[in-house]
Amino acid sequence: AAASEGIVRREKGPRFADLGGMEAVIEELMMEVVVPLCHPELPQRLGVRPVAGLLLHGPPGCGKTTLAHAIANETGVPFYKISAPEVVSGVSGASEENIRGLFQKAYRTAPSIVFIDEIDAIASKRENLQREMERRIVTQLMTCMDQFHQNIGSSSSDLDAESAEKKPGYVIVIGATNRPDAVDQALRRPGRFDREISLGVPDENARKQILKMLTQNLRLEGEFDLFKIARATPGFVGADLKALVDKAGNLAMKRIIDERRAQYRRNHDGNSKHDWWRQPWDAS
Ligand code: ATP
């Protein structure tokens, strides 16, 4: 039971199919991350070193967090999340010990994923009051990530003798950032974050794909043209398009409610005292 602490399982969370305009990225991730996580014995047998750390960068709202969750859901492996700003500010007792403890759990339950959101928040190169603490955290993180190389070569994690499993102790660290340049250089070396994927602002075609995903469960008018909206929204990232779709859905709902209210009042001689909203109505 202790090993399951801190695991975020999202049975109904995002899958790759929920992400639009990312086909090429998903194809790469399938080869380099998803299959090695599901079958860690494959790279081991071939003597290939799998990706140790994956750095996802791109503007806010372009889908970094969603993509990390989707990788966890596609592989079904345990997912441990660290919020870098919380670690640095010491919120909820987060500290070097917490990082170490979390990685221990991750190695014990390997193959698994450690996700570090806003990883640029821990950068030892900055000159400020927190510098000392940040450097210690970066050092701790590097020590934890370097454990990977000892583990991946062996058939089990040596952090916990009880968990002598047959599968190699593959723990991949996924970092997300809006500011890749602010990420500590020591973390961006090969063997740590050795794979970087830039998500960027989606182009027109990608926006159309995202809109298609976001509206797949919505009832749209027959004439609805996603192309037109994709063309009219340059600069919009996934989160902006989601907000747009949500807004459109709410407007449609409001329009229907207004119509029903007017209809009810017409049928009841303009009497607005009745609780019209509780009356049964035809939901078609
Ligand atoms: P931040 O840097 O602010 O943390 P982020 O890059 O991690 O942002 P997410 O939180 O993953 O972005 O995305 C925000 C919302 O936008 C999510 O709810 C997601 O549903 C939607 N979204 C983003 N990109 C896509 C996409 N490519 N396809 C479908 N939905 C998307």
Side-chain angles (χ1 to χ4, degrees), residues 65-228:
T65 310
T66 311
L67 185 59
H69 283 140
I71 294 171
N73 290 323
E74 294 297 345
T75 54
V77 304
F79 183 81
Y80 301 90
K81 188 170 174 177
I82 300 173
S83 160
E86 284 185 13
V87 172
V88 171
S89 64
V91 169
S92 64
S95 62
E96 295 153 87
E97 286 76 42
N98 291 58
I99 293 184
R100 199 162 48 230
L102 198 90
F103 268 87
Q104 256 165 11
K105 274 190 230 158
Y107 281 115
R108 217 181 291 138
T109 55
S112 59
I113 298 171
V114 173
F115 175 58
I116 309 178
D117 205 7
E118 296 183 63
I119 191 162
D120 50 90
I122 28 176
S124 65
K125 64 184 177 183
R126 272 181 304 193
E127 296 288 339
N128 60 26
L129 285 176
Q130 286 186 327
R131 191 165 181 264
E132 245 335 282
M133 181 180 170
E134 287 177 1
R135 204 169 49 209
R136 286 206 317 268
I137 292 169
V138 169
T139 307
Q140 180 63 67
L141 189 56
M142 288 189 307
T143 310
C144 289
M145 289 184 83
D146 291 347
Q147 183 85 42
F148 171 89
H149 303 289
Q150 293 154 34
N151 271 291
I152 202 69
S154 66
S155 61
S156 68
S157 162
D158 56 6
L159 279 167
D160 183 11
E162 281 175 36
S163 72
E165 291 174 18
K166 279 159 217 77
K167 290 197 168 187
Y170 184 21
V171 174
I172 182 168
V173 184
I174 304 180
T177 179
N178 307 325
R179 302 160 56 223
D181 293 343
V183 175
D184 201 289
Q185 283 306 321
L187 291 172
R188 294 180 80 181
R189 290 218 195 96
R192 289 175 190 154
F193 284 100
D194 43 16
R195 187 75 176 84
E196 297 195 6
I197 291 187
S198 168
L199 294 177
V201 177
D203 63 14
E204 189 176 308
N205 194 38
R207 290 199 299 277
K208 189 181 160 235
Q209 296 302 328
I210 295 171
L211 284 165
K212 208 168 142 193
M213 301 297 170
L214 293 173
T215 55
Q216 58 192 346
N217 295 323
L218 279 186
R219 230 170 98 180
L220 302 175
E221 274 175 28
E223 305 283 293
F224 203 76
D225 184 2
L226 289 179
F227 247 131
K228 222 160 126 186

